[in-house]
Amino acid sequence: MQSTPCGFRHRVEGMTDQAPAPESDIPGKPTSASRTTLSHIMSHNDTNLLGTVHGGVIMKLVDDAAGAVAGRHSGGPAVTASMDEMAFLEPVRVGDLVHVKAQVNWTGRTSMEVGVRVLAERWNESTPPQQVGSAYLVFAAVDADGKPRRVPPVRPETERDERRYQEAQIRRQHRLARRRAILDLRERRAAEGLD
């Protein structure tokens, strides 16, 4: 994963709750401008104790593809701020050709949600790929000093892109509501002398 230094963590968390600017002076980019696919054949080095591909291997591929998309869209460095809803739908096996497809779903002022689909197919068969996983990641664009920087708005191009944009806004609202609820609980417990 694109790691974030410990002292930088609080700044990154703050970056992910920034609302989109009403009017951006940065020209928008279409969804297709940064969309990418990363493909990799799974080997014995990638397996877990059950003999299937380790979930951490898939997560690294997801983060790599999402990081490339975030960097392309933002035009520079971007760091992983969070990973939401990493779902493993089917096991991946040695010999599977894994395709990780990623695109920017939504942009805020300095952050981006990247949606990722993971597909797998046998390397030596002509059967269609099967979806084996999905994830949503939030990236924060940073400058050379690690400070937040503006990102271009994403311009959905298709009805599917528009649906993903709207769903990303719902996920963002849920992330913010969850964070507020947790902070409120901690404050109440601290006021009661429980923590």
Side-chain angles (χ1 to χ4, degrees):
M1 289 192 171
Q2 306 280 342
S3 62
T4 32
C6 292
F8 185 62
R9 181 176 179 183
H10 296 291
R11 281 188 290 175
V12 169
E13 287 173 354
M15 287 183 227
T16 62
D17 64 359
Q18 302 211 9
E23 291 295 323
S24 178
D25 53 348
I26 302 173
K29 286 186 177 179
T31 306
S32 61
S34 56
R35 188 179 290 141
T36 193
T37 301
L38 175 75
S39 298
H40 188 77
I41 291 182
M42 298 292 107
S43 71
H44 288 286
N45 295 334
D46 301 317
T47 59
N48 59 26
L49 296 175
L50 298 175
T52 56
V53 172
H54 196 289
V57 171
I58 301 299
M59 289 173 75
K60 178 167 184 349
L61 294 173
V62 164
D63 191 56
D64 287 347
V69 167
R72 283 179 173 186
H73 182 83
S74 68
V79 295
T80 308
S82 70
M83 179 183 275
D84 289 350
E85 300 179 36
M86 180 71 218
F88 297 100
L89 306 173
E90 297 288 335
V92 178
R93 302 171 291 155
V94 169
D96 280 353
L97 178 57
V98 172
H99 308 285
V100 183
K101 298 178 176 286
Q103 75 171 47
V104 173
N105 288 337
W106 175 89
T107 52
R109 201 170 63 77
T110 61
S111 63
M112 302 156 274
E113 184 196 88
V114 178
V116 180
R117 286 187 320 130
V118 183
L119 304 147
E121 61 182 313
R122 295 306 291 169
W123 70 273
N124 58 349
E125 297 174 9
S126 58
T127 55
Q130 176 183 13
Q131 185 168 353
V132 296
S134 65
Y136 300 99
L137 297 88
V138 176
F139 279 79
V142 295
D143 63 19
D145 298 321
K147 298 199 181 327
R149 63 183 176 81
R150 297 279 303 276
V151 298
V154 67
R155 289 195 326 260
E157 298 173 279
T158 66
E159 281 301 316
R160 177 181 273 185
D161 293 342
E162 186 60 40
R163 175 184 54 79
R164 288 177 176 164
Y165 184 88
Q166 292 170 351
E167 290 172 357
Q169 289 176 312
I170 293 169
R171 281 187 293 274
R172 177 179 177 276
Q173 290 168 357
H174 286 194
R175 278 191 297 271
L176 295 175
R178 183 178 62 226
R179 183 182 300 150
R180 279 191 300 272
I182 289 170
L183 291 175
D184 288 348
L185 174 65
R186 288 178 182 172
E187 287 175 9
R188 280 196 312 272
R189 290 182 58 85
E192 294 169 6
L194 297 173
D195 287 336

